[in-house]
Amino acid sequence: MTFEKLLVFINAIVPLALLAYDGWTQRLGANPVEFFLRTTGVLALIFLVLSLAVTPLRKMFGWNQLIKVRRMLGLFAFFYASIHLLTYSAFDKGGDVPAIAIDVWDRPFIAVGMTAFMILVPLAVTSTNKMIKRLGGKRWARLHKLAYAAATLGVTHFWMLVKSDVTYPALFGIAVAALLGYRIYAANYSAGAQGSRSAG
Amino acid sequence: MTFEPETMQEKEKITPEHVYLNRRNFIRAGLVAGSTFATGLAYRVFNPPPPKEIATAEIKDVKTTVWAAEKPNSFEEITSYNNFYEFSTSKTEVARAAADFVTRPWTIEVGGLVDRPRVFAIDELLSFQQEERVYRFRCVEGWSMVIPWIGFPVRRILDEVVPTSEAKYVAFETFYDGKTGMNPDVKLPEGRNGMQSSLFAGIDFPYVEGLRLDEAMHDLTIIATGLYGKQLPNQNGAPVRLVVPWKYGFKSIKSVVRITLTDREPPTTWNIASPTEYGFYSNVNPNVAHPRWSQATERRIGEFGTRPTLLFNGYEDQVAHLYDGMDLRKKF
């Protein structure tokens, strides 16, 4: 493992280590399940946003080293989203699969969150070098644009579940909108540039 | 001319490999330590250590009635997990934000459709016969507690002001209107630190609530002055709050400054914020789902799983008759 990867890995497991420590010493507050659920959800969103920030940061500032850690950031988003989903399934629903299905059907914010997770699954599965080769770089890149859909749905899920204070979901919304906006702008700009090149 | 001496000097300036490696390791170790510390700090913002326990005055000469068979939640649980949007929308942050809230002197103004409107000072309210009532408390968010409240029936106040025959409802209002203190006796924390703006809270201030007159006159409906044998901590709605055990927790308005009897259904805060989600009645009912949470089950604070929610929060025998002939799905 390169040093950059090691640095990201250590920092990415710090929140989990602190959660585990606080849980062990019973310092997760009066409603530990809710705290754990909320924190892992927020962490999944944070890592998703960080992974999406890599390309814009490279293009804008030339920080090309960041590409080395993008896969790890994305996988940590999937990792925390998985813990989030497992916590909900085990503690809120008592592992009762039909009850989860009913919940998805009944409550739009659960359906939206579940969809976001389902999108992350194929992205995690195709994150290996072998899969990139097998899919071909272009197709792989196109597939992984779905990360934006997952992030948008994740923010929507967060927005829908808060009772009335939307400050945190709004902050994530702004971050995802800015990153997506940059990509759309960059895509059009470079397409325009290519167009003028070919015209010339 | 010879360049040799200079070349020699330059060569000496080059850092020897072992020093270079040492320095690199040192920087790397610093990066790991520094970033880990920063990440840890960022996490702590989300999960701050619990606030210091707040000691309030004892309440003496208390009669006890237990209205819940279960073991009460701990004082720590009851005082560290609160919804009090005037201070913070984070339940674990309220205790800290409300620590400097000044609640003396305090008055409740009781008026509207009554024969004898008057102002009650906090000391007079505390001089009423105080009772301990151990009630279940069910939040609309899907969690619950068992709380040993201390207080007296709301009826005790209403009997004193004598509602007129037109009075059908009772409106309650809390201390903070988001702009200026409604009650000149109420002192906000210094510089209003910790006060939440209406914009970020997402609800209008002042927080208002209401009951039908017969609900307010019911013996289970109390004005709470304390819990666990002591006066109310700030985060629980000091110095006096409403407690209606068969309704969702948001009906039990905190830090009350005004009670007004009216002839029509008074506006209520959460109903204004989202009429499709929160009705005027808001009786605890496992059969009527909230659009975003199942109300069939609840998590008792201190437990990991969930338990079934009881109709009227288990007070069906005492209060169901208040709603005879009413469609509880429509009047949710």
Side-chain angles (χ1 to χ4, degrees), chain B:
Chain B
M1 251 197 185
T2 165
F3 294 95
E4 210 154 337
E6 266 188 56
T7 318
M8 286 301 289
Q9 274 180 355
E10 284 301 317
K11 234 181 182 170
E12 277 166 16
K13 276 185 191 163
I14 294 170
T15 316
E17 194 180 4
H18 69 278
V19 176
Y20 167 74
L21 284 178
N22 262 344
R23 188 178 298 160
R24 194 171 69 165
N25 285 341
F26 185 73
I27 291 171
R28 286 182 164 185
L31 271 174
V32 169
S35 65
T36 307
F37 184 69
T39 308
L41 275 186
Y43 168 85
R44 277 281 163 246
V45 172
F46 282 92
N47 189 20
K52 281 177 288 179
E53 200 170 292
I54 295 158
T56 55
E58 253 178 70
I59 299 179
K60 285 166 191 146
D61 302 324
V62 181
K63 291 195 299 187
T64 298
T65 354
V66 176
W67 285 97
E70 307 97 304
K71 188 173 161 288
N73 282 89
S74 71
F75 182 80
E76 200 196 353
E77 285 166 336
I78 297 169
T79 56
S80 67
Y81 196 70
N82 314 93
N83 273 318
F84 201 161
Y85 276 27
E86 286 81 348
F87 291 101
S88 172
T89 52
S90 161
K91 286 184 275 294
T92 47
E93 205 33 59
V94 170
R96 203 184 328 276
D100 300 325
F101 182 32
V102 180
T103 59
R104 294 291 187 285
W106 191 280
T107 55
I108 299 190
E109 195 186 318
V110 188
L113 300 173
V114 296
D115 287 338
R116 298 209 298 260
R118 56 164 296 201
V119 173
F120 294 84
I122 180 66
D123 291 333
E124 184 180 358
L125 299 175
L126 286 167
S127 74
F128 292 170
Q129 171 66 58
Q130 305 290 311
E131 297 175 36
E132 182 171 65
R133 301 276 187 102
V134 182
Y135 285 158
R136 280 178 290 274
F137 182 92
R138 169 64 155 81
C139 179
V140 74
E141 295 166 4
W143 55 267
S144 64
M145 295 194 193
V146 175
I147 304 179
W149 299 109
I150 291 181
F152 53 86
V154 172
R155 197 180 51 218
R156 177 77 180 71
I157 287 183
L158 297 180
D159 285 347
E160 203 115 346
V161 297
V162 192
T164 67
S165 56
E166 292 100 80
K168 297 282 181 287
Y169 293 92
V170 188
F172 298 83
E173 189 178 317
T174 192
F175 71 103
Y176 181 63
D177 78 347
K179 294 182 287 287
T180 53
M182 290 295 280
N183 182 328
D185 284 339
V186 176
K187 289 194 191 69
L188 298 181
E190 202 63 43
R192 297 241 165 106
N193 285 334
M195 300 309 288
Q196 183 66 264
S197 85
S198 217
L199 176 70
F200 285 103
I203 55 171
D204 289 340
F205 294 136
Y207 196 99
V208 287
E209 259 307 335
L211 296 172
R212 234 167 44 193
L213 183 57
D214 58 344
E215 294 176 325
M217 293 293 280
H218 195 283
D219 183 61
L220 286 181
T221 308
I222 61 166
I223 291 286
T225 56
L227 58 87
Y228 265 114
K230 289 173 180 171
Q231 289 182 14
L232 278 181
N234 289 344
Q235 62 268 38
N236 293 87
V240 280
R241 68 172 293 171
L242 182 68
V243 174
V244 195
W246 72 92
K247 291 177 182 284
Y248 292 118
F250 66 84
K251 295 294 288 182
S252 296
I253 183 172
K254 296 184 172 84
S255 307
V256 176
V257 294
R258 184 171 292 115
I259 299 175
T260 311
L261 284 98
T262 64
D263 55 359
R264 64 194 70 175
E265 195 179 282
T268 57
T269 293
W270 281 100
N271 180 249
I272 296 167
S274 183
T276 55
E277 295 181 45
Y278 312 98
F280 174 78
Y281 285 94
S282 293
N283 292 316
V284 175
N285 190 336
N287 310 315
V288 178
H290 179 280
R292 290 183 283 159
W293 301 281
S294 165
Q295 298 297 30
T297 60
E298 64 199 50
R299 172 170 292 119
R300 177 65 47 81
I301 295 303
E303 294 175 357
F304 283 100
T306 56
R307 53 166 72 208
T309 287
L310 306 170
L311 183 60
F312 296 114
N313 207 19
Y315 302 105
E316 190 179 354
D317 289 348
Q318 289 77 34
V319 302
H321 67 91
L322 294 171
Y323 310 102
D324 277 345
M326 255 174 64
D327 183 350
L328 296 174
R329 283 182 182 280
K330 285 191 180 132
K331 300 279 184 186
F332 59 88

Side-chain angles (χ1 to χ4, degrees), chain A residues 3 7 10-11 14-15 18-19 22 27 30-31 33-35 91-92 107 109 160-165 167, chain B residues 28 32 35-36 39-40 43-44 46-47 81 85 89 141 200-202 270 278 291-294 299 301 304:
Chain A
F3 175 69
L7 192 63
I10 290 172
N11 277 284
V14 163
L18 288 173
L19 268 172
D22 282 349
R27 269 187 272 187
N31 196 345
V33 176
E34 187 231 352
F35 182 82
F91 291 103
D92 274 14
R107 265 160 278 282
F109 90 90
M160 288 169 85
L161 73 90
V162 297
K163 216 159 76 176
S164 69
D165 181 356
T167 312
Chain B
R28 286 182 164 185
V32 169
S35 65
T36 307
T39 308
Y43 168 85
R44 277 281 163 246
F46 282 92
N47 189 20
Y81 196 70
Y85 276 27
T89 52
E141 295 166 4
F200 285 103
W270 281 100
Y278 312 98
R292 290 183 283 159
W293 301 281
S294 165
R299 172 170 292 119
I301 295 303
F304 283 100

Side-chain angles (χ1 to χ4, degrees), chain A residues 9 12-17 19 36 40-41 43-45 47-48 71-87 117 120-121 124:
Chain A
F9 185 84
I13 57 166
V14 163
L16 186 69
L19 268 172
F36 195 84
T40 50
L43 284 165
L45 272 178
F47 282 101
L48 203 47
R71 167 163 45 199
M72 187 173 278
L73 290 171
L75 283 173
F76 266 107
F78 179 67
F79 173 67
Y80 280 113
S82 305
I83 299 179
H84 181 68
L85 176 60
L86 280 174
T87 308
F117 182 79
L120 289 180
V121 174

